[in-house]
Amino acid sequence: MECSTEMNFQVPDMICLRRLSTLAPITVRGLIRCNKIALRNTSGMSSGYNQANIVILHKALADDFEKFCKANSGPLPLLYRSAPGEWKCPPLSKDSDIRTDCLQYRKYENGVFSGNLNSLEGYTEQMRDMVTFYLGCSFSFENAVQQHGIPVRNVEQQCNVSMYRTAVPCFGMGSFSCNLVVTMRPVPQDKLNTVVKITHPMKECHGAPVHIGCPGFLGIKDLQKTDYGDPVQLHPGDIPVFWACGVTGAEAVSSCKSSLAFTHSPGCMFISDIKIEKTASTQVSETPKVLPISSNPPHYSLVSQQTAEQIGELENAIAVDPGSRGIKHLLTKDELLKSSLSLSHAKSILITTGFPTHFQHQPPEETDGHPGAIAIVAMLQALGKQVAIVTDERAIELNKAIFGGAIDQGILKHNVPLLHYKEGNADSALNFLCENGDPAKPRFDHLVAIERSGRASDGNYYNARKINIKHLVDPIDNLFLAAQNIEGITTTGIGDGGNELGMGKVKEAVKKHITNGDTIACDIAADFAIVAGVSNWGGYAVACALYLLNNCEIHERYLRKGVGFPRFTEENYLASSLPAVKKEENLLSLLVAQGVRSGKTGNLAMEVDGLPFYNTHSEMIQRLLAITM
């Protein structure tokens, strides 16, 4: 297209953008080619058409860069790879010239940015040996988002989108290695599910977000300090939403230190003739769902509707009340799902268990608690997470025997650190949970209590029969209290009667509906309270939920931030870490051999809470596995 005097209109930027949004891509490219557009980015131009990031490299590097794109398809969805010296792009445009059709370019020499250019025509000879990569761009989905009534703040504020380097490494290929770059768009909290459902199927323009919530999880310290683009202001009620960004390609160009390379200038995209396809999926396995998993700091996760429903079935299954205690009144929907999502994101988890209900025996523990805790540990270890156990000082040797036996039986892959907690001063809990007592450096990001004695409102600890067992319990509750004021630590309590650590979240229901509830109700709340007919069942359900989440394509991609290859495509490496009847039978035998008794009857037998392992507990394990597999 040659320059035309008809394109020589001069109008204020905002009016210009409104007009540009309605023009065909071929017309906008002509205006860009003739240097008739004063705007600094192409967001909103030729609304409804795909835009593309550009990387131009020497042909000797092209194969490795294509592999790098395929290994990191979230930030670098490859739309087209040109032949060497090919200026046009037939699959994406009727009449284009990559040397002139971006608003601005960046030049790199030996991997170092050396200046901006308005045209690459002066490098025509060098470009005969260079290959152009056209990569999907998030500007492409902005129109679809707006059509659903969701504000696009960078368009409203007439500025470029915010772009940041993250601490997330891409999967390296050849001479290309760099960290992920993301864009950030503020989205009203009540629109999060909608924006994710809109963008999820749009794989060619980065698909669903890779992070929602606090930027610190990505290593971004200050949203006002962008690495590319402009700072976009959040409105009250907005949540930062981050998508993988094609500017990752520019970072990769720097890493390869090629003698000469070019990219588009961030925000100054190539506008194609391809209309955006709106392909919202109706399959529940491909429908994403957004759930909050932390409020301090704000953090949301993604899961497929199908997986969420399966975990809901697990939650319903363990809610059977064999002791007729009235636990149905304590149930809160989706606590298992939210807790398991949080654990799936966590890197270091601290677990506590042990309810010394049999105060007249040695050991005083019951058979409920340890099997469920070990089931959680087994799955967390399989996921490569760091796990430690904190218990009462008097119970260290018992726990060594139990966890050592689980390793000998092959249930656990490796040793679990055993810790005990004693209070010396007001800062003991903070010092235990954080490096050098610094709240900014927590050692753990999730605490789990399963069938652990919980402190009542009067400061004592009670079993179900209202007997005070405080003399047998170390104040591990204070770790959960301290965690409430440490940003980045989430807590879960798993219980079956309301007197367990963490059940303070439902203490009013415990007082009203559970026998002796006014006295025994735990006063310490966890962020998530998982209620089960038997606490072990809650532990089995958490292990099964973690298995489901890490075999869910939507959640697994969100965990790895759209970089690298899916883990779930490998052989099912997690299945062997699921609970199984034989595993739990052997573990219960180990507990009985250590003198651990059934909770309700005090029998030294193959029982949990007075219920025989065979039939009752084995059937529950089989039911949970049937839902999971």
Side-chain angles (χ1 to χ4, degrees):
M1 177 189 293
E2 296 180 357
C3 296
S4 166
T5 55
E6 293 179 3
M7 296 176 185
N8 272 328
F9 53 84
Q10 294 293 329
V11 289
D13 281 358
M14 192 56 192
I15 299 174
C16 184
L17 178 58
R18 287 175 183 169
R19 180 168 179 183
L20 289 168
S21 70
T22 65
L23 296 180
I26 190 171
T27 305
V28 175
R29 288 197 303 271
L31 291 167
I32 291 172
R33 193 178 303 173
C34 299
N35 199 25
K36 299 297 182 182
I37 297 178
L39 297 173
R40 295 184 296 120
N41 67 84
T42 55
S43 175
M45 296 185 191
S46 296
S47 184
Y49 288 85
N50 274 306
Q51 299 193 25
N53 297 272
I54 300 299
V55 171
I56 304 172
L57 295 162
H58 191 273
K59 60 186 179 182
L61 295 167
D63 287 348
D64 277 350
F65 188 72
E66 182 172 349
K67 292 175 184 176
F68 184 75
C69 293
K70 291 179 178 179
N72 300 282
S73 60
L76 302 171
L78 183 57
L79 304 179
Y80 182 65
R81 169 183 167 171
S82 79
E86 182 183 16
W87 322 137
K88 299 186 182 301
C89 182
L92 300 181
S93 59
K94 298 175 183 176
D95 177 17
S96 64
D97 187 331
I98 198 55
R99 298 171 300 172
T100 58
D101 291 358
C102 290
L103 271 177
Q104 192 178 70
Y105 303 85
R106 289 168 67 94
K107 177 183 175 184
Y108 292 84
E109 296 176 283
N110 301 311
V112 178
F113 169 62
S114 58
N116 290 313
L117 302 166
N118 291 327
S119 169
L120 299 181
E121 288 179 300
Y123 295 88
T124 296
E125 286 305 312
Q126 294 94 322
M127 289 179 66
R128 295 190 190 282
D129 289 325
M130 301 180 84
V131 172
T132 301
F133 289 84
Y134 298 78
L135 307 162
C137 171
S138 61
F139 283 172
S140 303
F141 63 59
E142 289 182 338
N143 177 252
V145 168
Q146 288 174 312
Q147 286 182 356
H148 283 78
I150 302 171
V152 178
R153 301 296 188 205
N154 52 291
V155 175
E156 286 183 347
Q157 296 169 27
Q158 304 179 44
C159 62
N160 202 348
V161 71
S162 301
M163 290 167 266
Y164 306 89
R165 297 185 182 98
T166 73
V168 179
C170 292
F171 192 96
M173 282 288 180
S175 57
F176 296 98
S177 63
C178 66
N179 284 0
L180 173 70
V181 175
V182 293
T183 58
M184 189 282 293
R185 291 171 176 82
V187 176
Q189 186 177 25
D190 63 349
K191 302 290 186 183
L192 291 177
N193 262 305
T194 304
V195 80
V196 171
K197 287 178 181 178
I198 294 167
T199 59
H200 165 69
M202 303 174 77
K203 309 295 186 187
E204 291 189 343
C205 37
H206 305 303
V210 296
H211 179 65
I212 302 174
C214 175
F217 287 105
L218 296 175
I220 300 169
K221 295 181 179 179
D222 187 349
L223 289 178
Q224 293 304 303
K225 296 180 180 178
T226 60
D227 293 298
Y228 303 98
D230 302 316
V232 177
Q233 303 306 311
L234 280 72
H235 289 204
D238 281 353
I239 303 296
V241 181
F242 299 85
W243 280 267
C245 176
V247 177
T248 303
E251 296 287 305
V253 165
S254 292
S255 73
C256 79
K257 302 190 185 304
S258 171
S259 59
L260 181 66
F262 305 100
T263 70
H264 69 292
S265 187
C268 300
M269 306 300 174
F270 172 83
I271 302 175
S272 79
D273 293 336
I274 307 300
K275 286 191 174 182
I276 297 164
E277 294 183 7
K278 299 172 185 175
T279 55
S281 174
T282 56
Q283 297 183 19
V284 291
S285 62
E286 298 176 4
T287 303
K289 183 176 182 177
V290 181
L291 287 115
I293 59 173
S294 171
S295 59
N296 182 31
H299 191 193
Y300 296 77
S301 190
L302 300 188
V303 64
S304 73
Q305 184 67 37
Q306 177 179 357
T307 300
E309 290 174 0
Q310 284 180 279
I311 295 175
E313 289 182 49
L314 294 174
E315 188 172 65
N316 291 335
I318 63 173
V320 174
D321 190 358
S324 299
R325 298 178 179 179
I327 65 166
K328 67 180 181 180
H329 301 290
L330 314 185
L331 299 172
T332 305
K333 183 177 170 56
D334 287 337
E335 293 289 277
L336 174 62
L337 175 57
K338 293 175 184 177
S339 171
S340 300
L341 282 167
S342 178
L343 284 167
S344 185
H345 284 271
K347 296 178 180 178
S348 179
I349 299 96
L350 181 68
I351 299 176
T352 185
T353 190
F355 205 119
T357 190
H358 302 302
F359 58 95
Q360 294 177 325
H361 294 279
Q362 183 57 37
E365 272 72 20
E366 60 172 302
T367 50
D368 193 14
H370 281 91
I374 289 170
I376 297 172
V377 172
M379 186 56 67
L380 292 174
Q381 285 187 343
L383 290 169
K385 300 180 186 298
Q386 297 178 1
V387 190
I389 300 294
V390 61
T391 188
D392 303 298
E393 187 174 17
R394 60 160 185 82
I396 286 288
E397 292 305 315
L398 173 64
N399 279 273
K400 282 182 180 177
I402 294 171
F403 282 90
I407 293 171
D408 294 340
Q409 293 175 6
I411 298 172
L412 298 182
K413 295 185 181 297
H414 50 78
N415 190 39
V416 185
L418 289 174
L419 312 173
H420 66 87
Y421 172 71
K422 288 287 188 180
E423 287 202 327
N425 55 55
D427 293 328
S428 293
L430 186 63
N431 289 325
F432 187 94
L433 293 174
C434 302
E435 294 179 21
N436 301 316
D438 183 356
K441 297 179 179 179
R443 292 188 175 97
F444 311 100
D445 29 37
H446 203 123
L447 310 184
V448 178
I450 174 169
E451 192 62 17
R452 170 69 193 178
S453 319
R455 190 161 65 224
S457 59
D458 64 1
N460 292 317
Y461 297 78
Y462 296 95
N463 65 14
R465 295 180 295 280
K466 208 164 63 170
I467 296 172
N468 187 0
I469 53 175
K470 182 177 181 178
H471 61 291
L472 295 171
V473 182
D474 289 345
I476 291 171
D477 305 64
N478 289 342
L479 299 179
F480 281 67
L481 281 175
Q484 294 174 2
N485 298 311
I486 301 172
E487 187 172 296
I489 301 183
T490 304
T491 57
T492 292
I494 302 173
D496 56 19
N499 56 344
E500 301 88 359
L501 178 53
M503 292 295 110
K505 183 173 183 179
V506 292
K507 64 183 178 182
E508 295 308 317
V510 174
K511 292 176 181 179
K512 184 176 181 180
H513 298 286
I514 303 297
T515 301
N516 298 323
D518 282 342
T519 300
I520 71 173
C522 176
D523 198 47
I524 312 301
D527 294 310
F528 306 112
I530 298 172
V531 178
V534 176
S535 292
N536 280 344
W537 299 352
Y540 303 152
V542 169
C544 291
L546 286 168
Y547 172 89
L548 287 169
L549 289 173
N550 284 270
N551 280 278
C552 167
E553 180 180 355
I554 289 172
H555 180 69
E556 192 275 341
R557 177 189 182 272
Y558 188 76
L559 281 180
R560 60 184 169 85
K561 310 305 178 195
V563 299
F565 296 101
R567 285 189 299 181
F568 64 82
T569 58
E570 303 169 5
E571 186 177 351
N572 198 339
Y573 67 104
L574 295 178
S576 62
S577 297
L578 283 166
V581 172
K582 190 62 178 177
K583 287 183 190 178
E584 304 313 315
E585 178 185 8
N586 291 341
L587 196 52
L588 188 54
S589 296
L590 172 65
L591 288 169
V592 173
Q594 293 294 322
V596 179
R597 298 169 181 270
S598 175
K600 198 169 186 179
T601 64
N603 292 335
L604 198 59
M606 294 290 285
E607 296 179 359
V608 181
D609 271 359
L611 301 168
F613 175 78
Y614 306 104
N615 298 325
T616 305
H617 297 287
S618 59
E619 285 180 3
M620 177 57 70
I621 294 167
Q622 291 170 332
R623 183 179 178 187
L624 295 177
L625 290 175
I627 294 169
T628 303
M629 304 295 284

